[in-house]
Amino acid sequence: ANLLYLSYDFKPKGFLILASGYNSDGSIIKQKEWINFSYRHQLILVGLSFSSRIEDLRNGNGYYYASKGSGKLLLDGLKQIYPIDLPIYLYGFSGGAHFVSRLAEWIPGKIGGFCAYSAAWWDKPTYLKNPPKGIIACGEKDERLGASLSYFLYGRKVNRQWTWCRVFNANHAQSAKFEDFVRNYFESIISKLNKMDVWIDITNGQVVSTNISVLKPALTCYLPSIELLDEWKSLNGVK
C-alpha cells in the first residue's frame, strides 16, 4: 500500500483521492487537468496505490473492501499528509471504483462527493442517514453496464442523491470527457452558492423536480446544478 500526493502551497480545504484500475500505481495524479482542479479548489491531490491478489479481491478480503483494513490505511495516510480532518472527494475507475464505492458507504460523513466509474461487481447499498452525493457510471459498451446500473437503481430505492451516467459509445476505459464532467460535478458541490439542484429522468434528461426533499422514483437521477444538464445529456448521448 502506498499513497502519492502532490506538494501544495495553500491552506487545504479537502482531499481529492484518485484511484484508477486494479493494483494501479497512483500516477493518475500527474494529469494536468486534475492538478489544475485541485489547486483551483485547494484540495490535496492524492493517488491511491494499493495492491491485492485477484483471488482476495474476489473473495471479499482485498483492498476493494474498505471496511476490512484498506480504508483505515487510507485515513491513517491522510493524517500523515495533513493532520486535520477535511472533506474527501473521490474518483475511482474500475478497480478504483470498487474501493471508492465501498469507502463512501463505510465513512459517508467524511465524503464530500464521489464518483465510482465501472466496477465489475458492487455491494448492495443500505439506508444511510446522510449519504454523500455521487456519480455511478459505466461505458455504454462495457460488459459491466448491467451491474453498475443495478447498483445505481438500488441506491435510488434507498433515496440516494446519485447521478447515473451511461457514457455514450464508451468501452471499459478512462474517458477525458467523462472526467471533465466529474470535475464540474465536484465543483458544483464545492461551490454550492447560487446553484439550483435538480432531478432528471435518466431516459431522456427531462427535469422532473427541483425539490430535493421529494422522494423520486428509481429512473431519476440527481444533478447538483442545472448547469450540468447539457453536459450530462451530451455525455449520455441524449438529444
Side-chain angles (χ1 to χ4, degrees), residues 166-185:
R166 184 184 65 181
V167 183
F168 180 67
N169 210 31
N171 292 299
H172 188 65
Q174 290 180 240
S175 162
K177 183 178 181 180
F178 177 67
E179 290 179 6
D180 282 341
F181 177 78
V182 174
R183 286 185 286 269
N184 291 335
Y185 187 96

Side-chain angles (χ1 to χ4, degrees), residues 43-174:
L43 305 174
I44 301 173
L45 187 58
V46 179
L48 189 78
S49 181
F50 284 0
S51 178
S52 295
R53 298 178 303 172
I54 190 67
E55 55 265 34
D56 288 328
L57 295 173
R58 292 194 178 280
N59 66 26
N61 291 306
Y63 77 90
Y64 287 2
Y65 297 87
S67 64
K68 296 187 177 181
S70 57
K72 184 177 186 303
L73 276 176
L74 173 62
L75 294 179
D76 289 347
L78 296 183
K79 283 289 187 183
Q80 293 181 40
I81 295 171
Y82 192 77
I84 299 173
D85 278 342
L86 296 171
I88 300 171
Y89 297 87
L90 301 159
Y91 168 70
F93 166 70
S94 192
H98 277 274
F99 177 78
V100 161
S101 63
R102 293 178 176 92
L103 186 74
E105 291 286 312
W106 184 54
I107 52 167
K110 295 181 180 291
I111 307 301
F114 75 95
C115 172
Y117 178 33
S118 192
W121 66 90
W122 308 76
D123 295 342
K124 189 174 179 179
T126 59
Y127 178 79
L128 296 175
K129 186 176 181 181
N130 292 302
K133 299 174 176 68
I135 302 168
I136 309 301
C138 192
E140 182 184 39
K141 296 182 177 180
D142 191 339
E143 65 182 5
R144 299 157 184 81
L145 180 63
S148 300
L149 177 57
S150 292
Y151 181 70
F152 166 79
L153 295 176
Y154 276 125
R156 289 296 299 116
K157 288 178 181 177
V158 291
N159 203 26
R160 298 294 176 88
Q161 287 180 250
W162 281 356
T163 301
W164 168 248
C165 286
R166 184 184 65 181
V167 183
F168 180 67
N169 210 31
N171 292 299
H172 188 65
Q174 290 180 240

